Amino acid sequence: MRKPLKKAVLPVAGLGTRFLPATKVLAKEMLPVVDKPLIQYAIEEARAAGIEQFCLVTGRGKTALVEHFDLAYELEHTLKERAKTEALALLESTAMPPGSLMSVRQQVPLGLGHAIWCARAFVGADPFAVILPDDLVLAEVSWVKQLADVYAETGGNVIAVEEVPREHTNRYGILKVGKDDGRVAEVLGLVEKPKPEEAPSTLSIVGRYVLMPEVIAEIARFEKGAGGEIQLTDAMARLIGRQPFHGLRCQGRRFDCGDKAGFLEAQIAFALSRPDLAGRVRGFLKSYL
Ligand code: G1P
């Protein structure tokens, strides 16, 4: 029997410098796509996969991310008094069961691996999902759920992967691929941000992972990798051969909301997927093309 996947770690300590000045006082994960902040999409995606416990790895100036999931008593009271049922329902979508959300601080930005290590007490001895809220997904089935389903079959670590143009391999973790049925690929190696000419493939890691708790001990070696940072990819690479390790090409589309053009594309794709907006958005878009 595999241990059920009930925990998710969301690293959200990043400074968001690519979105200054918007992110001067606002956490980048609070930026909305249409009308919902990125962090809420990430939490909803995890809940759709049966995740029940969440740990946000935050930093200074990021308290709004935790506040967002708290009870807004005055607002709720006012909306109830005014019988604003639609607005109330939207507010309720941010409600979390008591005790299901915690946060830890990553005081110094030492890398993604280090951020995950900061959540070690939360992880304990359980499998856990990692969700990078910058990678926003539009899909019928939650990507965390798609990964969890493969984990239930194969056990071990499962990461979301996607083909990228070879000239972009230096932006991602890249796989060395073994047996591959076109959907699930066996992972034989992982390299963080290799130069195009050195990349073992063009299959890249996307910001969704199901990981075994043993990865924490590997991170704790604190070896510096690409960019001088403590990389999650390097710690994962050391588990290969000791535990099953697979990459899954998930069904659906992913938008890089850490990038301005990717963020704008997400706005349009999500707006067009919404019955209340699609018609109007399609109408005005035509006038710009
Ligand atoms: C991180 C990971 C990288 C992964 C990427 C996905 O990089 O280190 O392996 O491919 O997320 O978005 P970052 O975007 O934080 O540089």
Side-chain angles (χ1 to χ4, degrees), residues 27-50:
K28 68 172 170 172
E29 298 81 6
M30 285 304 294
L31 295 176
V33 168
V34 183
D35 51 8
K36 202 190 285 181
L38 289 171
I39 188 68
Q40 194 177 334
Y41 286 102
I43 296 269
E44 286 178 2
E45 191 187 320
R47 290 173 107 176

Side-chain angles (χ1 to χ4, degrees), residues 112 132 135 172-173 192-193 205-207 209 231 233 254:
L112 177 60
L132 310 186
D135 278 332
Y172 301 97
E192 182 67 11
K193 301 192 170 78
I205 304 172
V206 187
Y209 313 68
Q231 295 289 355
T233 302
R254 163 250 179 193

